[in-house]
Amino acid sequence: MEFESEDAAKIFYDEYARRVGFVMRVMSCRRSERDGRILARRLGCNKEGYCVSIRGKFGNVRKPRSSTREGCKAMIHVKFDKSGKWVITKFVKDHNHPLVVAPREARQTMSEKDKKIQELTMELRNKKRLCATYQEQLTAFMKIVEGHSDQLSKKVQNVVRNLKEFESIEQELLQHR
């Protein structure tokens, strides 16, 4: 299957997940080293992987909860294609846990956490663009300062040369008196 955008693929898989009876999780992505844009994304079941306990590191946990992770492998992998479309390159259908079709338990839209991550990612991209703009402006300013510095250096050298000539003329005049 092909999609016009990464978001269209997410929406499709999220709707599929709700119909089938699981909750979609946005998992990993691969970014371009050149410009940081996303080239591929993994979307899967929220029961993917296993929860690693952190109790020993941060003291006792007040309300220990059972893990929601069960090592489920169900997922799709979408990749940005040369054609400009997002293409599903891998699909794992089978879940290793019971599916729930009750609408209360299946998420309706992206979680607040995913929305916040998306919002912060956009903010980070904007800040990176702003930094790049500032860097370009600073580089241009430094080139102007460098040019003025070179011109000032030449003018100082001319003044020194003129002073030396003036001093030598003055010495000649004093000697001829």
Side-chain angles (χ1 to χ4, degrees):
M1 287 184 75
E2 291 183 342
F3 303 95
E4 293 297 319
S5 68
E6 177 194 0
D7 283 336
K10 283 181 190 175
I11 290 167
F12 167 81
Y13 196 64
D14 193 45
E15 288 173 2
Y16 166 79
R18 274 189 274 128
R19 277 196 320 273
V20 172
F22 68 98
V23 177
M24 179 200 71
R25 173 180 297 192
V26 177
M27 295 153 95
S28 59
C29 71
R30 189 171 68 81
R31 292 185 178 274
S32 166
E33 289 180 9
R34 242 182 304 145
D35 57 13
R37 66 188 171 93
I38 296 174
L39 300 175
R41 170 78 73 186
R42 225 167 36 103
L43 308 169
C45 177
N46 74 325
K47 294 185 183 281
E48 176 267 344
Y50 294 97
C51 182
V52 178
S53 177
I54 59 168
R55 285 182 202 161
K57 294 178 185 175
F58 301 106
N60 292 334
V61 175
R62 282 190 216 162
K63 295 179 185 176
R65 294 178 288 176
S66 60
S67 174
T68 59
R69 305 277 187 106
E70 298 184 23
C72 184
K73 303 274 189 222
M75 56 81 77
I76 64 168
H77 186 263
V78 289
K79 188 176 179 182
F80 187 71
D81 195 46
K82 292 175 185 172
S83 66
K85 306 257 187 197
W86 286 81
V87 180
I88 295 177
T89 58
K90 185 175 182 182
F91 172 61
V92 178
K93 180 181 177 182
D94 297 326
H95 294 262
N96 65 349
H97 56 88
L99 299 173
V100 180
V101 188
R104 268 183 295 142
E105 295 182 41
R107 187 178 61 189
Q108 296 299 315
T109 59
M110 271 196 283
S111 74
E112 290 302 314
K113 182 180 171 184
D114 288 339
K115 286 180 184 176
K116 187 68 177 174
I117 289 171
Q118 195 173 38
E119 181 183 306
L120 291 172
T121 301
M122 287 301 293
E123 188 178 331
L124 182 62
R125 280 189 197 131
N126 290 337
K127 297 290 183 190
K128 282 183 178 178
R129 283 190 206 113
L130 192 59
C131 278
T133 302
Y134 288 155
Q135 191 171 11
E136 287 173 13
Q137 290 174 348
L138 187 59
T139 301
F141 176 73
M142 292 302 290
K143 285 182 182 176
I144 291 169
V145 168
E146 214 173 277
H148 286 298
S149 176
D150 288 345
Q151 289 175 355
L152 188 59
S153 179
K154 288 175 185 173
K155 286 181 182 179
V156 168
Q157 287 173 354
N158 284 338
V159 167
V160 169
R161 192 175 342 102
N162 288 341
L163 276 173
K164 286 182 181 177
E165 285 177 25
F166 179 71
E167 286 174 348
S168 68
I169 292 171
E170 187 179 39
Q171 285 294 328
E172 282 181 37
L173 288 173
L174 287 174
Q175 285 175 357
H176 286 22
R177 276 193 169 174

